[in-house]
Amino acid sequence: MKTVCLYFEIHQNIHLKRYRFFNIGTDHYYYDDYENERSITETAEKSYIPALKALIEMAKAHGGFFKCAISLSGTALELLENYSPEVLDLLKELNDTGCVEFLAEPYSHGLSFLYNKDVFKDEVARLDKKVTKLFGKKPQVFRNSCLSYSDEVGEMVAEMGYKGMLAEGAKHVLGWKSAHYVYSCNRNPKLSVLLRDAALSEDISFRFNDSNWSEYPLFADRYAQWIADMPQEEQCVNIFMELCALGIFQPLSSNILEFLKALPEQLKQRGIGFSTPSEIIANNKPVGPIDVEYPTSWVDEERDLSPWLGNKMQQESVAKLYSVAERVRVCKNKKLQQDFDYLQASNNFRFMSTKASSGGYRGIYDSPYDAFTNYMNILGDFTSRVNELFGGAENEEINSLLTLIQNQGEELEVKQKEIDKLQAIIKRLEAAEPAKPEAPAKKTAAKKPAAKKEEPKAEAPAKKAPAKKPATKKAEPKDEAPAKKAPAKKTAAKK
C-alpha cells in the first residue's frame, strides 16, 4: 500500500539586537526582546495555532488513518514557552490523539555537525530530553538543521542510537534513483534514510498560492491523483515542509488549510494511507545505501549549504564562533552556554547571504554586510567573555589542552567501541553454548552420580574382608566346644 509521510518543522531563531563596536566589553545582553515577542506571537496567530487546530481536527475526523510528524528546535521551544504557551498546549493535544510522532534535532538549529561533533551530540541529547519530557515519547528518528545530511552526519546519528533520519531528495544525489524508497546510510546500514519529494512538498509550501503557476489553483483531488499515478512499486511519498508554510508562506486566505483537510479523504479513496517516519522504517527495508559525500539541504536550487556558508563573511563568522566551542562546552557557565545556543542558530548566517535567492527576509538588517558587522561585534564580546573564564591563559596553551582532552576522548571512544564489539562476541558465544556443548555437559553431570555408585562397589570388598574375620573367629568357638564337653564327661564319671 502506498503511503504518505507528512512532516512539519517548527523553528524560530532568537533575534539579535543592534550591537555597536563601542558596546563590546560593556553590554553582554545581545537580544531584541521586542522583536522576539512580536515575531513568535505573529507566527503563532497566523500559522501555528490555526494549522495545529486543523491537524487536530483531521486526526479526530479520520481516527488512526491520518498521521504526521513534527520536530521543534530548542530556540523555538523557549520562545513558545515564554510568549505563546498555547501553541505547546495544542501540540500536547495533538500528541494525545496518537497521530503524531515527534522527531529529534539539534537544540540551536545550528551547524555544529560540521565543526564540533561533541557539541552536536550534546545539543541533540538536550533537545531529545526536553521533547521526551514534554510529550512522553523518546524520539526515534532524527532531523538535522535545514534538513542537512551527509554520510558523515548519518554515521554520527546512527551511533547516537536513532533508527532513521530525514534528508533532501536532491537531484544531484539521486541521479536516476527515486526519492520514493527507503535508503540506508552508506557508513552504517542500521540507519534508514527518508528522502523528501521536493516537487510535491513545494507545490504546497511555495507554489500553492502562485496565480502564475500552471497548476493553479490546486485542489486536493488532483494532488492525490498525482501520488496515485506514481509507479506502484514506489511506496513512500515524503512531504516535508515548515509548519509556517501554512499561514505565512501561504496565507490562510488562500484556503491552504481547507486543501489540507480535504487531502486525507482523497488519498483514502485512492488506496493511499498516512504513516509516521518510524512506521515507514519499520515496514520497509532499505533498497540500498544512499551516497552523500557533501552535505545537502532543502534550500535553494543547489540544495547545499551555500545559503549559510557561501561567502567569506559567513565562513569567517562561523569559524570564529566554533573556535571557542570546546571551551564553552567544558565550562559550567550556563549564561555563556545559552548565548552560544542562540548565536549558533542558522538564521544568523543566512542573513549574511549574498545569493540572489536569499534576498528575502533579513530581520533588522539592511544588507548582508550590515548583518555581518552586527554579528561580529557581538561575537567579539562573546569570545572575550569565554576567554576570561580561562584565567587569561594564552590561546595556544588553551588550545593544546583542549586538543589533548579531545584526543583522549576519541581514544576512549575507540576503546569503548572495541569493548562493545568484544562483549557482543561473548554474548553470541554464550548464546550458542546451550545449543551445542550444554547437552554433553549435562550428560557428564548425570554420570557423576554413577561414579558415586561405583565407590560403594569399591567399599563392598573392603566390608567383605572384615566379614571373613568373624568367620576365623567362628573356628575358635569350635575348639572351645570340646573343652566344654570335657567337663560334662567328668560330671558323668562322678555319678
Side-chain angles (χ1 to χ4, degrees):
M1 178 180 174
K2 199 171 290 184
T3 188
V4 169
C5 179
L6 191 60
Y7 157 79
F8 300 101
E9 176 210 32
I10 297 178
H11 166 63
Q12 293 287 312
N13 68 303
I14 308 293
H15 291 275
L16 304 177
K17 69 180 183 182
R18 284 285 179 186
Y19 194 91
R20 309 296 180 187
F21 176 80
F22 301 103
N23 297 128
I24 298 174
T26 60
D27 182 4
H28 304 319
Y29 190 77
Y30 312 133
Y31 313 109
D32 188 337
D33 292 332
Y34 171 79
E35 181 61 20
N36 284 321
E37 182 176 2
R38 185 205 64 78
S39 62
I40 192 64
T41 52
E42 180 181 345
T43 303
E45 291 171 4
K46 291 184 176 180
S47 172
Y48 293 165
I49 292 174
L52 289 171
K53 286 181 177 178
L55 292 175
I56 293 169
E57 181 183 335
M58 293 162 68
K60 292 179 178 179
H62 297 281
F65 176 75
F66 173 74
K67 296 172 184 177
C68 64
I70 292 175
S71 75
L72 304 92
S73 68
T75 53
L77 276 170
E78 290 187 22
L79 286 170
L80 292 172
E81 287 170 344
N82 292 332
Y83 302 114
S84 297
E86 61 269 36
V87 174
L88 294 178
D89 293 336
L90 288 171
L91 285 168
K92 291 176 182 176
E93 186 178 347
L94 180 63
N95 183 49
D96 291 339
T97 66
C99 80
V100 63
E101 177 181 7
F102 288 97
L103 312 185
E105 69 168 70
Y107 193 95
S108 71
H109 199 273
L111 305 174
S112 58
F113 63 93
L114 291 173
Y115 295 92
N116 193 301
K117 293 180 181 179
D118 291 328
V119 170
F120 174 70
K121 290 177 181 179
D122 288 349
E123 281 195 78
V124 175
R126 281 190 289 129
L127 186 76
D128 191 299
K129 184 177 179 180
K130 192 159 189 171
V131 169
T132 303
K133 184 178 179 181
L134 274 172
F135 305 111
K137 298 177 183 177
K138 181 174 174 59
Q140 300 297 313
V141 178
F142 183 78
R143 185 264 185 196
N144 200 14
S145 311
C146 318
L147 207 68
S148 302
Y149 178 81
S150 69
D151 299 333
E152 185 177 6
V153 176
E155 184 179 30
M156 283 193 290
V157 171
E159 289 173 355
M160 287 188 281
Y162 295 99
K163 61 184 180 182
M165 184 170 175
L166 309 188
E168 175 67 14
K171 294 178 183 178
H172 67 276
V173 169
L174 283 170
W176 55 269
K177 298 176 183 177
S178 169
H180 304 146
Y181 294 95
V182 177
Y183 294 91
S184 63
C185 172
N186 73 349
R187 293 193 184 182
N188 192 327
K190 291 182 180 179
L191 184 81
S192 294
V193 181
L194 305 184
L195 301 178
R196 182 178 85 129
D197 185 312
L200 286 176
S201 300
E202 293 173 3
D203 285 344
I204 298 175
S205 60
F206 291 147
R207 291 182 282 271
F208 184 82
N209 196 42
D210 183 2
S211 58
N212 295 319
W213 182 34
S214 60
E215 302 295 340
Y216 178 86
L218 179 62
F219 294 99
D221 56 348
R222 184 150 36 114
Y223 189 84
Q225 191 59 46
W226 290 347
I227 297 174
D229 290 340
M230 292 176 181
Q232 190 59 35
E233 63 273 13
E234 298 185 5
Q235 294 291 306
C236 309
V237 181
N238 303 312
I239 301 171
F240 305 160
M241 67 190 79
E242 296 180 61
L243 186 62
C244 61
L246 310 177
I248 300 293
F249 303 161
Q250 307 304 319
L252 299 179
S253 59
S254 67
N255 293 321
I256 184 67
L257 294 183
E258 284 67 26
F259 166 85
L260 193 68
K261 292 176 187 177
L263 194 56
E265 184 59 36
Q266 293 297 324
L267 290 171
K268 192 173 185 180
Q269 290 176 11
R270 292 162 175 79
I272 303 169
F274 285 90
S275 296
T276 63
S278 288
E279 289 175 341
I280 290 179
I281 291 167
N283 297 328
N284 296 271
K285 290 184 178 180
V287 295
I290 187 75
D291 299 322
V292 188
E293 184 177 358
Y294 301 103
T296 57
S297 77
W298 65 353
V299 175
D300 290 351
E301 186 64 27
E302 295 86 353
R303 302 290 197 247
D304 59 12
L305 299 184
S306 59
W308 304 274
L309 297 171
N311 62 48
K312 293 293 183 181
M313 294 185 294
Q314 294 168 311
Q315 294 160 14
E316 181 181 345
S317 57
V318 172
K320 184 171 183 179
L321 174 66
Y322 286 105
S323 68
V324 296
E326 195 62 28
R327 301 177 207 184
V328 175
R329 192 179 75 84
V330 300
C331 81
K332 301 300 180 183
N333 189 311
K334 291 185 178 180
K335 184 65 178 73
L336 278 176
Q337 291 173 339
Q338 183 185 56
D339 289 339
F340 186 60
D341 278 339
Y342 297 165
L343 292 174
Q344 281 191 82
S346 61
N347 308 58
N348 293 317
F349 310 110
R350 184 79 186 274
F351 292 147
M352 303 176 199
S353 176
T354 52
K355 294 180 68 175
S357 55
S358 300
Y361 177 69
R362 292 193 184 277
I364 63 173
Y365 307 116
D366 299 325
S367 69
Y369 312 101
D370 184 25
F372 172 72
T373 302
N374 200 70
Y375 186 83
M376 292 302 284
N377 286 340
I378 291 174
L379 203 53
D381 182 77
F382 176 74
T383 54
S384 296
R385 290 166 56 207
V386 173
N387 291 333
E388 284 175 6
L389 281 180
F390 291 83
E394 294 294 330
N395 282 340
E396 291 183 5
E397 182 182 353
I398 295 172
N399 290 335
S400 64
L401 289 172
L402 293 174
T403 301
L404 178 62
I405 293 170
Q406 186 175 0
N407 291 340
Q408 289 178 339
E410 290 174 356
E411 287 177 11
L412 289 172
E413 189 176 348
V414 170
K415 289 179 180 178
Q416 185 60 49
K417 287 180 180 178
E418 291 176 358
I419 291 169
D420 293 340
K421 286 180 182 178
L422 291 172
Q423 288 177 340
I425 291 170
I426 291 169
K427 286 181 181 178
R428 284 200 300 271
L429 292 173
E430 288 176 348
E433 278 180 6
K436 295 180 184 177
E438 289 230 349
K442 286 180 181 177
K443 287 181 182 177
T444 306
K447 285 180 182 177
K448 284 182 181 178
K452 287 181 182 178
K453 288 181 182 178
E454 288 178 3
E455 291 174 7
K457 286 181 184 177
E459 289 175 6
K463 288 181 180 178
K464 284 180 183 177
K468 287 180 182 178
K469 287 180 182 178
T472 308
K473 287 180 182 178
K474 282 181 184 178
E476 293 174 3
K478 284 181 183 177
D479 295 335
E480 290 175 4
K484 287 181 180 179
K485 287 178 183 178
K489 286 179 182 179
K490 286 179 183 179
T491 306
K494 284 181 181 179
K495 287 180 181 179

